Amino acid sequence: MEVRIKDEIYSVIFVDHNDHNLFLNGDRCLGVSDYKIKTIFIDESLDPYDIETTLAHELFHCLFYESGIELGYDFHSESSVNFLGLNYLDIIKMFKDAGFIEVYENLYKEF
């Protein structure tokens, strides 16, 4: 799977829960974003809900990074990304109710 984040294309790869790419600073993670190779690694053993929220979490990390906001700088923190990752469906519904989704779809039909 590929996802456009700003002007970059990220690959999303589902890997075994013991894959070395899921380890960050010695800790095993559910998902990890590698900004250098534009790849998001997700633990394939997660249940569908956890895959969805973990992927959302990692996508927000990548969005912050591609916007020039490194982890630990300003509001790019695990707490912020956790909040956004767990509430993204409510965010989408809020924007849809406000008419933003239709505007986006009309402006960006080529994507």
Side-chain angles (χ1 to χ4, degrees):
M1 169 192 324
E2 290 185 334
V3 179
R4 178 184 297 273
I5 302 171
K6 300 293 230 169
D7 292 329
E8 301 294 336
I9 301 295
Y10 276 74
S11 296
V12 178
I13 300 174
F14 295 90
V15 296
D16 182 82
H17 67 278
N18 288 319
D19 188 281
H20 71 278
N21 290 297
L22 290 178
F23 287 83
L24 191 62
N25 300 323
D27 294 325
R28 190 183 143 330
C29 303
L30 303 178
V32 172
S33 297
D34 187 326
Y35 309 125
K36 290 180 184 175
I37 62 170
K38 309 296 184 206
T39 302
I40 298 169
F41 299 96
I42 303 291
D43 182 341
E44 67 185 1
S45 72
L46 299 174
D47 65 50
Y49 174 79
D50 287 337
I51 285 176
E52 192 174 293
T53 56
T54 300
L55 179 55
H57 174 103
E58 294 305 322
L59 289 171
F60 283 114
H61 271 304
C62 295
L63 178 61
F64 281 130
Y65 178 81
E66 295 301 335
S67 298
I69 305 169
E70 304 251 356
L71 184 62
Y73 175 76
D74 205 10
F75 50 84
H76 185 180
S77 66
E78 285 300 312
S79 296
S80 295
V81 174
N82 281 339
F83 173 81
L84 293 167
L86 292 171
N87 290 286
Y88 78 96
L89 289 175
D90 292 325
I91 294 166
I92 291 171
K93 182 180 182 320
M94 178 179 64
F95 281 105
K96 185 173 182 178
D97 290 349
F100 292 174
I101 301 299
E102 290 79 13
V103 170
Y104 176 83
E105 288 172 348
N106 289 330
L107 287 174
Y108 298 100
K109 287 183 182 184
E110 70 270 15
F111 298 112

Coordinates of all heavy atoms in Angstrom, one line a residue, residues 16-56:
D16 N 6.1 -9.1 10.4 CA 6.0 -10.0 11.6 C 6.3 -9.2 12.9 O 7.1 -8.3 12.9 CB 7.0 -11.1 11.4 CG 6.9 -12.1 12.6 OD1 6.1 -13.0 12.5 OD2 7.7 -12.0 13.5
H17 N 5.6 -9.6 14.0 CA 5.8 -8.8 15.2 C 7.2 -8.8 15.8 O 7.5 -8.0 16.6 CB 4.7 -9.2 16.2 CG 5.0 -10.6 16.8 ND1 4.5 -11.7 16.1 CD2 5.6 -11.1 17.9 CE1 4.9 -12.8 16.8 NE2 5.5 -12.4 17.8
N18 N 8.0 -9.7 15.3 CA 9.4 -9.7 15.7 C 10.4 -9.1 14.7 O 11.6 -9.1 14.9 CB 9.9 -11.1 16.0 CG 9.2 -11.7 17.3 OD1 9.1 -11.0 18.3 ND2 8.8 -12.9 17.2
D19 N 9.8 -8.5 13.7 CA 10.7 -7.9 12.6 C 11.5 -6.7 13.3 O 11.0 -6.0 14.1 CB 9.8 -7.3 11.5 CG 10.6 -6.8 10.3 OD1 11.1 -5.7 10.4 OD2 10.7 -7.5 9.3
H20 N 12.8 -6.6 12.8 CA 13.7 -5.6 13.4 C 13.2 -4.2 13.2 O 13.6 -3.3 13.9 CB 15.1 -5.8 12.9 CG 15.3 -5.4 11.4 ND1 14.9 -6.3 10.4 CD2 15.7 -4.3 10.9 CE1 15.1 -5.7 9.2 NE2 15.6 -4.5 9.5
N21 N 12.4 -4.0 12.2 CA 11.9 -2.6 11.9 C 10.9 -2.1 12.9 O 10.6 -0.9 13.0 CB 11.3 -2.6 10.5 CG 12.3 -2.7 9.4 OD1 13.2 -1.8 9.3 ND2 12.2 -3.8 8.6
L22 N 10.4 -3.0 13.7 CA 9.4 -2.6 14.8 C 10.1 -2.3 16.1 O 9.4 -1.9 17.0 CB 8.4 -3.7 15.0 CG 7.4 -4.0 13.9 CD1 6.4 -5.1 14.2 CD2 6.6 -2.7 13.6
F23 N 11.4 -2.3 16.1 CA 12.1 -2.0 17.3 C 12.7 -0.6 17.2 O 13.4 -0.3 16.2 CB 13.2 -3.0 17.6 CG 12.7 -4.3 18.1 CD1 12.2 -5.2 17.2 CD2 12.6 -4.5 19.5 CE1 11.7 -6.4 17.7 CE2 12.1 -5.7 19.9 CZ 11.6 -6.7 19.0
L24 N 12.4 0.3 18.1 CA 12.9 1.7 18.1 C 13.5 2.0 19.5 O 12.9 1.8 20.5 CB 11.7 2.6 17.8 CG 12.0 4.0 17.5 CD1 12.9 4.2 16.3 CD2 10.7 4.8 17.3
N25 N 14.8 2.3 19.5 CA 15.5 2.6 20.7 C 15.4 1.4 21.7 O 15.3 1.6 22.9 CB 15.0 3.9 21.4 CG 15.2 5.1 20.5 OD1 16.2 5.1 19.8 ND2 14.3 6.0 20.5
G26 N 15.4 0.2 21.2 CA 15.4 -1.0 22.0 C 14.0 -1.4 22.4 O 13.8 -2.5 23.0
D27 N 13.0 -0.6 22.1 CA 11.6 -1.0 22.5 C 10.9 -1.5 21.2 O 11.0 -1.0 20.1 CB 10.8 0.3 23.0 CG 11.4 0.8 24.3 OD1 11.8 -0.1 25.1 OD2 11.4 2.0 24.5
R28 N 10.0 -2.6 21.5 CA 9.2 -3.1 20.4 C 8.0 -2.2 20.3 O 7.3 -1.9 21.3 CB 8.8 -4.5 20.7 CG 8.2 -5.2 19.5 CD 7.7 -6.6 19.9 NE 6.5 -7.1 19.4 CZ 5.4 -6.5 19.0 NH1 5.3 -5.2 19.1 NH2 4.3 -7.1 18.5
C29 N 7.6 -1.8 19.0 CA 6.5 -1.0 18.8 C 5.5 -1.7 17.9 O 5.8 -2.7 17.3 CB 7.0 0.3 18.0 SG 8.3 1.2 18.9
L30 N 4.3 -1.2 17.9 CA 3.2 -1.7 17.1 C 3.4 -1.2 15.6 O 3.0 -1.9 14.7 CB 1.8 -1.3 17.6 CG 1.5 -1.7 19.0 CD1 0.1 -1.2 19.5 CD2 1.6 -3.2 19.2
G31 N 4.0 0.0 15.5 CA 4.2 0.6 14.2 C 5.4 1.5 14.3 O 5.6 2.1 15.4
V32 N 6.1 1.7 13.2 CA 7.3 2.6 13.2 C 7.3 3.2 11.8 O 7.1 2.6 10.8 CB 8.6 1.8 13.4 CG1 9.8 2.7 13.2 CG2 8.7 1.2 14.8
S33 N 7.6 4.5 11.8 CA 7.8 5.3 10.6 C 9.2 5.6 10.4 O 9.9 6.1 11.3 CB 7.0 6.6 10.6 OG 5.6 6.4 10.8
D34 N 9.7 5.2 9.2 CA 11.1 5.5 8.8 C 11.0 6.6 7.8 O 10.7 6.4 6.6 CB 11.8 4.3 8.2 CG 13.3 4.5 8.0 OD1 13.7 5.6 7.6 OD2 14.0 3.5 8.2
Y35 N 11.3 7.9 8.2 CA 11.2 9.0 7.3 C 12.2 9.0 6.2 O 12.0 9.5 5.1 CB 11.3 10.3 8.1 CG 10.5 10.4 9.3 CD1 11.0 10.7 10.6 CD2 9.1 10.2 9.2 CE1 10.2 10.8 11.7 CE2 8.3 10.3 10.4 CZ 8.8 10.6 11.6 OH 8.0 10.7 12.7
K36 N 13.4 8.4 6.4 CA 14.5 8.4 5.4 C 14.1 7.6 4.2 O 14.4 8.0 3.1 CB 15.8 7.9 6.0 CG 16.4 8.8 7.0 CD 17.7 8.2 7.6 CE 18.2 9.2 8.7 NZ 19.4 8.6 9.3
I37 N 13.5 6.4 4.4 CA 13.1 5.6 3.3 C 11.6 5.7 3.0 O 11.1 4.9 2.2 CB 13.5 4.1 3.5 CG1 12.8 3.5 4.8 CG2 15.0 4.0 3.6 CD1 13.0 2.0 4.9
K38 N 10.9 6.6 3.7 CA 9.5 6.9 3.4 C 8.7 5.6 3.5 O 7.9 5.2 2.6 CB 9.3 7.5 2.1 CG 10.1 8.7 1.8 CD 9.8 9.9 2.7 CE 10.6 11.1 2.4 NZ 10.9 12.0 3.5
T39 N 8.8 4.9 4.7 CA 8.2 3.6 4.9 C 7.6 3.6 6.3 O 8.2 4.0 7.2 CB 9.1 2.4 4.7 OG1 9.7 2.5 3.3 CG2 8.4 1.1 4.8
I40 N 6.4 3.0 6.4 CA 5.7 2.8 7.6 C 5.6 1.3 7.8 O 5.1 0.6 6.9 CB 4.3 3.4 7.7 CG1 4.4 4.9 7.5 CG2 3.6 3.0 9.0 CD1 3.0 5.6 7.2
F41 N 6.1 0.8 8.9 CA 6.0 -0.6 9.3 C 5.0 -0.9 10.3 O 4.9 -0.2 11.3 CB 7.4 -1.1 9.8 CG 8.5 -1.0 8.8 CD1 9.3 0.1 8.8 CD2 8.7 -1.9 7.8 CE1 10.4 0.3 7.9 CE2 9.8 -1.8 6.9 CZ 10.6 -0.7 6.9
I42 N 4.1 -1.8 10.1 CA 3.0 -2.1 11.0 C 3.0 -3.6 11.4 O 3.2 -4.5 10.5 CB 1.6 -1.8 10.4 CG1 1.5 -0.3 9.9 CG2 0.5 -2.2 11.3 CD1 1.5 0.7 11.1
D43 N 2.8 -3.9 12.6 CA 2.8 -5.3 13.1 C 1.6 -6.0 12.5 O 0.4 -5.6 12.8 CB 2.7 -5.3 14.6 CG 2.7 -6.6 15.3 OD1 2.4 -7.6 14.6 OD2 3.0 -6.7 16.5
E44 N 1.8 -7.0 11.7 CA 0.7 -7.7 11.0 C -0.1 -8.6 11.9 O -1.2 -9.0 11.6 CB 1.2 -8.5 9.9 CG 2.1 -9.7 10.3 CD 2.7 -10.5 9.2 OE1 2.5 -10.1 8.0 OE2 3.4 -11.5 9.5
S45 N 0.3 -8.8 13.2 CA -0.4 -9.7 14.1 C -1.5 -8.9 14.9 O -2.3 -9.5 15.6 CB 0.6 -10.4 15.1 OG 1.1 -9.4 16.0
L46 N -1.6 -7.6 14.7 CA -2.6 -6.8 15.4 C -4.0 -7.1 14.9 O -4.2 -7.5 13.7 CB -2.3 -5.3 15.2 CG -1.0 -4.8 15.7 CD1 -0.8 -3.3 15.3 CD2 -0.9 -5.0 17.2
D47 N -5.0 -6.9 15.7 CA -6.4 -7.1 15.3 C -6.7 -5.9 14.4 O -6.0 -4.9 14.4 CB -7.3 -7.2 16.4 CG -7.4 -6.0 17.3 OD1 -7.6 -4.9 16.8 OD2 -7.3 -6.2 18.6
P48 N -7.8 -6.0 13.6 CA -8.1 -4.9 12.6 C -8.2 -3.5 13.3 O -7.7 -2.5 12.7 CB -9.4 -5.4 12.0 CG -9.4 -6.9 12.1 CD -8.7 -7.1 13.4
Y49 N -8.8 -3.4 14.4 CA -8.9 -2.1 15.1 C -7.6 -1.5 15.4 O -7.3 -0.4 15.1 CB -9.8 -2.2 16.3 CG -9.8 -0.9 17.1 CD1 -10.7 0.2 16.7 CD2 -9.0 -0.7 18.2 CE1 -10.7 1.4 17.4 CE2 -9.0 0.5 18.9 CZ -9.9 1.5 18.5 OH -9.9 2.7 19.2
D50 N -6.7 -2.4 16.0 CA -5.3 -1.9 16.3 C -4.5 -1.6 15.1 O -3.7 -0.7 15.1 CB -4.6 -2.9 17.2 CG -5.2 -2.9 18.6 OD1 -5.8 -1.9 19.1 OD2 -5.1 -4.0 19.3
I51 N -4.7 -2.3 14.0 CA -4.0 -2.0 12.8 C -4.4 -0.6 12.3 O -3.6 0.2 12.0 CB -4.2 -3.1 11.7 CG1 -3.4 -4.3 12.0 CG2 -3.9 -2.5 10.3 CD1 -3.7 -5.5 11.0
E52 N -5.7 -0.4 12.3 CA -6.3 0.9 11.9 C -5.8 2.1 12.7 O -5.3 3.1 12.2 CB -7.8 0.8 11.9 CG -8.5 1.9 11.2 CD -10.0 1.7 11.2 OE1 -10.4 0.7 10.6 OE2 -10.7 2.5 11.9
T53 N -5.8 1.9 14.0 CA -5.4 3.1 14.9 C -3.9 3.2 14.9 O -3.4 4.4 15.0 CB -5.9 2.9 16.3 OG1 -5.5 1.7 16.9 CG2 -7.4 3.0 16.4
T54 N -3.1 2.1 14.7 CA -1.7 2.2 14.7 C -1.3 2.9 13.4 O -0.4 3.8 13.4 CB -1.0 0.8 14.8 OG1 -1.4 0.3 16.1 CG2 0.5 0.9 14.7
L55 N -1.9 2.5 12.3 CA -1.6 3.1 11.0 C -1.9 4.6 11.0 O -1.2 5.5 10.6 CB -2.4 2.5 9.8 CG -2.1 3.0 8.5 CD1 -0.6 3.1 8.1 CD2 -2.9 2.2 7.4
A56 N -3.1 5.0 11.6 CA -3.5 6.4 11.7 C -2.4 7.1 12.6 O -2.0 8.2 12.2 CB -4.9 6.5 12.4

